Amino acid sequence: MAYDEGLAQRIRERVGEGTDITEKRMFGGLAFLVHGHMAVGVSGDDLMVRVGPDSTDAALARPGTRIFDMTGRPMRGWILVAGDALTQDEVLGAWIDEGRAFAASLPPK
């Protein structure tokens, strides 16, 4: 599956160079990892965000979101945000920050 390169570039610009973030092709898309843990990614036109199990319900109450379900088994702690809900840089930035904060809370791999 191809992914939205424009969205990937917007994420790169937000996280900057020389940070704790690395890029890796995963799930047919592109993932951004913090200390080896996925924080956010791009799948098709959507943003994947790792919010953690305790924050899933609150994240799903926000516009354009749905549970991340790649294999027919919903993954609690992971959500997808529709690309058309990410037109404002502030909205994208908030999701990136949330995913990055959760991934940074995990022990390094």
Side-chain angles (χ1 to χ4, degrees), residues 22-47:
T22 56
E23 286 184 37
K24 184 176 182 180
R25 289 187 180 268
M26 298 176 79
F27 307 120
L30 185 66
F32 294 83
L33 298 90
V34 174
H35 303 298
H37 297 283
M38 187 175 146
V40 297
V42 184
S43 178
D45 295 330
D46 298 329
L47 177 71

Side-chain angles (χ1 to χ4, degrees), residues 14-72:
R14 173 71 183 204
V15 300
E17 293 183 27
T19 67
D20 56 348
I21 300 266
T22 56
E23 286 184 37
K24 184 176 182 180
R25 289 187 180 268
M26 298 176 79
F27 307 120
L30 185 66
F32 294 83
L33 298 90
V34 174
H35 303 298
H37 297 283
M38 187 175 146
V40 297
V42 184
S43 178
D45 295 330
D46 298 329
L47 177 71
M48 296 180 285
V49 185
R50 189 171 188 185
V51 296
D54 295 339
S55 298
T56 302
D57 291 338
L60 289 171
R62 292 161 63 182
T65 59
R66 66 186 186 282
I67 196 81
F68 180 54
D69 181 357
M70 182 175 233
T71 63

